[in-house]
């Protein structure tokens, strides 16, 4: 009987140990699952953190690019304003020069070499290049030694050049030299 009691105690002790082992295996599995869940959450959080960092970096780049665009737009506006101012200044100067030329033309007595030169030059300014070429050649034929002859020769070369008569333009420019 003693032996049976001893065997029974041993058997109970073995069952208790087996139950404790089974319980500890279940707990271990639960513990491991909990740890795995924690690791997965951390990995997901790290992925989210990395994505957040990338989004912040991209946002910073977008802000920088917007700033660059604003600077470029400001530079373009300044260049346009400067170009507009230069155009107005050039136009003002040209009008003043035309007024001075008109005043000088009115001071020249009518007729004579100066009047023929001015008439030819007016044809040239009006874009009537064939007529201007003829008038300038007539002027040069009549007054080859006049003080306006070099000017007439130059404008004759320009008139030929505009008409794509390059040989005539070359001859006029060489005659000027």
């Amino acid at each position: 009987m003693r032996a049976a009691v001893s065997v029974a105690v041993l058997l109970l002790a073995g069952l208790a140990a087996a139950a404790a082992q089974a319980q500890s295996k279940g707990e271990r599995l639960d513990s491991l699952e909990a740890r795995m869940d924690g690791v997965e959450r951390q990995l997901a959080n790290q992925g989210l953190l990395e994505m957040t960092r990338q989004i912040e970096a991209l946002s910073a780049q977008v802000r920088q690019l917007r700033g660059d665009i604003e600077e470029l737009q400001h530079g373009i506006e300044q260049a346009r304003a400067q170009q507009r101012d230069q155009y107005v200044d050039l136009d003002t100067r040209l009008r003043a020069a035309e007024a001075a030329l008109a005043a000088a033309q009115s001071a020249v007595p009518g007729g004579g070499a100066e009047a023929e030169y001015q008439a030819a030059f007016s044809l040239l300014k009006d874009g009537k290049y064939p007529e201007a070429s003829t008038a300038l050649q007539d002027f040069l034929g009549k007054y080859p030694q006049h003080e306006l002859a070099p000017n007439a020769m130059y404008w004759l070369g320009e008139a030929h050049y505009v008409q794509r008569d390059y040989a005539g333009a070359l001859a006029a420019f060489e005659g000027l030299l």
Side-chain angles (χ1 to χ4, degrees), residues 4-150:
V5 174
S6 293
V7 172
V9 170
L10 284 176
L11 192 56
L12 282 177
L15 285 176
Q21 240 181 0
Q23 185 181 17
S24 68
K25 283 184 184 178
E27 288 175 0
R28 280 193 227 158
L29 283 175
D30 290 341
S31 172
L32 284 175
E33 285 179 8
R35 284 185 185 173
M36 287 299 291
D37 288 341
V39 169
E40 287 174 353
R41 278 193 299 268
Q42 285 180 348
L43 289 176
N45 286 342
Q46 286 178 352
L48 289 174
L49 287 174
E50 181 60 30
M51 286 174 53
T52 303
R53 282 189 211 122
Q54 289 176 354
I55 289 171
E56 288 174 1
L58 291 173
S59 296
Q61 286 178 344
V62 166
R63 282 191 301 273
Q64 176 65 38
L65 291 173
R66 284 184 181 158
D68 292 347
I69 288 171
E70 288 177 7
E71 286 179 19
L72 291 172
Q73 286 175 338
H74 180 69
I76 288 171
E77 289 173 12
Q78 284 181 331
R80 284 182 181 159
Q82 183 181 9
Q83 184 180 18
R84 203 171 22 253
D85 292 344
Q86 288 175 347
Y87 175 76
V88 168
D89 181 51
L90 177 64
D91 189 48
T92 304
R93 288 180 185 197
L94 283 174
R95 288 176 192 236
E98 286 174 351
L101 180 62
Q105 287 175 349
S106 65
V108 174
E114 287 84 6
E116 284 187 39
Y117 173 79
Q118 288 303 324
F121 189 70
S122 293
L123 288 171
L124 187 70
K125 286 192 322 187
D126 291 340
K128 299 176 181 175
Y129 301 112
E131 295 89 350
S133 296
T134 303
L136 288 168
Q137 286 172 344
D138 291 345
F139 174 83
L140 288 169
K142 290 180 186 175
Y143 309 104
Q145 298 302 319
H146 192 272
E147 64 183 7
L148 291 174

Side-chain angles (χ1 to χ4, degrees), residues 124 129 133 136 152-164 168-169 172-173:
L124 187 70
Y129 301 112
S133 296
L136 288 168
M153 184 67 73
Y154 173 79
W155 289 115
L156 178 63
E158 287 292 323
H160 284 302
Y161 183 79
V162 169
Q163 296 176 78
R164 298 182 188 255
F173 288 134

